[in-house]
Amino acid sequence: MAPHWQSYALDDAAGMTLFIALSEIREKLDPSLQFDFVCRAGICGSCAMLVNGRPALACRTLTANLADSFTLAPLPVFELIGDLSVNTGKWMRGMSERLQTWLHPLDAQPDLTRLEARMAPELAEQIYELDRCIECGCCVAACGTAQMHEDFVGAVALNKIARFRLDPRDGRSDEDFYDLIGDDDGVFGCMTLLGCHDVCPKQLPLQTQIAFLRRKMVALALK
Ligand code: SF4
Ligand code: F3S
Ligand code: FES
């Protein structure tokens, strides 16, 4: 079926979120309507969609904060499943496998009888801050580069690289990270459009992290 807009009319209610509104639409008006929700609490990242053209979490968006009439659309960039449902999981998995966004332990065969080395609380806090990403895809959908350039890794990936780079338990060097993101698909493809930073529902410091990574990677490129 060709893409088209579909209008629904509902009565607003106190405390109504887009999750409640969409559930009501599916229950009373259109059982075929497709959208994704799991946690309803801004934790799972599955309910991101365009609300009046801007990426947002539907479960955290109150209808009271929208005008009487508003539009919802699926996130761009990701594979469309149907209606408001997109396959962010497939994209995130591909990105994760490509950039190996998991801990590569310094010691491949750690002595499990010994306690892990202590980490300074400030550093643990910095890592935790970046680990709050819920992989909702809002930053990717808001990025003009990601929309034009299919292989661009997106702010979500750059944030993950920044997170593992900080982690003293990760054995990868800056050169290893450079191999992963030191090109136009990575940090040098970012045009500092900052849509990512503006829409991240977890208010992650994406602007600072990307700028920091870029400075580090430029320094390596000039070596
Ligand atoms: Fe969502 Fe923010 Fe993570 Fe991007 S960085 S996927 S916007 S939580
Ligand atoms: Fe895109 Fe964010 Fe860079 S919007 S271009 S990743 S600053
Ligand atoms: Fe989980 Fe919205 S349903 S973040």
Side-chain angles (χ1 to χ4, degrees):
M1 189 189 291
H4 65 282
W5 293 101
Q6 176 89 32
S7 299
Y8 302 97
L10 272 186
D11 289 330
D12 203 359
M16 183 183 256
T17 61
L18 288 177
F19 163 70
I20 297 172
L22 287 166
S23 301
E24 211 171 302
I25 291 172
R26 187 151 67 186
E27 200 178 303
K28 297 180 181 163
L29 303 171
D30 184 352
S32 74
L33 185 64
Q34 287 176 272
F35 55 91
D36 299 313
F37 288 90
V38 179
C39 72
R40 307 173 202 175
I43 297 166
C44 72
S46 66
C47 68
M49 59 185 68
L50 295 184
V51 182
N52 287 329
R54 182 185 169 93
L57 295 182
C59 72
R60 305 304 291 165
T61 305
L62 288 168
T63 52
N65 292 338
L66 301 171
D68 285 351
S69 173
F70 56 85
T71 62
L72 303 178
L75 291 186
V77 180
F78 303 100
E79 181 183 295
L80 182 68
I81 295 172
D83 298 331
L84 300 168
S85 174
V86 294
N87 198 342
T88 46
K90 183 177 170 188
W91 192 99
M92 293 293 168
R93 187 184 172 102
M95 173 275 290
S96 178
E97 286 174 351
R98 190 169 140 209
L99 298 187
Q100 303 176 23
T101 56
W102 55 85
L103 193 79
H104 289 52
L106 265 174
D107 184 355
Q109 287 178 321
D111 178 355
L112 297 176
T113 60
R114 288 179 46 208
L115 286 176
E116 203 173 82
R118 282 172 63 89
M119 187 186 290
E122 300 75 24
L123 180 57
E125 188 61 39
Q126 268 179 292
I127 292 173
Y128 172 73
E129 168 78 353
L130 305 186
D131 257 346
R132 292 186 306 109
C133 172
I134 54 173
E135 299 191 356
C136 63
C138 286
C139 57
V140 178
C143 173
T145 309
Q147 293 191 31
M148 291 182 295
H149 179 161
E150 192 185 339
D151 291 330
F152 180 55
V153 298
V156 56
L158 297 175
N159 177 67
K160 285 179 188 293
I161 294 295
R163 177 250 178 270
F164 287 108
R165 199 185 154 270
L166 271 182
D167 198 322
R169 297 164 299 179
D170 197 298
R172 288 174 289 183
S173 65
D174 271 355
E175 284 74 11
D176 294 330
F177 289 120
Y178 184 92
D179 288 343
L180 294 171
I181 57 155
D183 59 14
D184 286 348
D185 292 342
V187 75
F188 298 131
C190 166
M191 297 190 287
T192 325
L193 300 174
L194 298 183
C196 56
H197 187 91
D198 292 344
V199 301
C200 176
K202 293 294 169 184
Q203 286 90 40
L204 294 187
L206 299 176
Q207 178 179 2
T208 324
Q209 292 307 321
I210 293 173
F212 181 75
L213 272 183
R214 188 186 288 116
R215 282 201 300 279
K216 286 285 171 199
M217 297 298 140
V218 166
L220 276 179
L222 295 176
K223 255 188 181 176

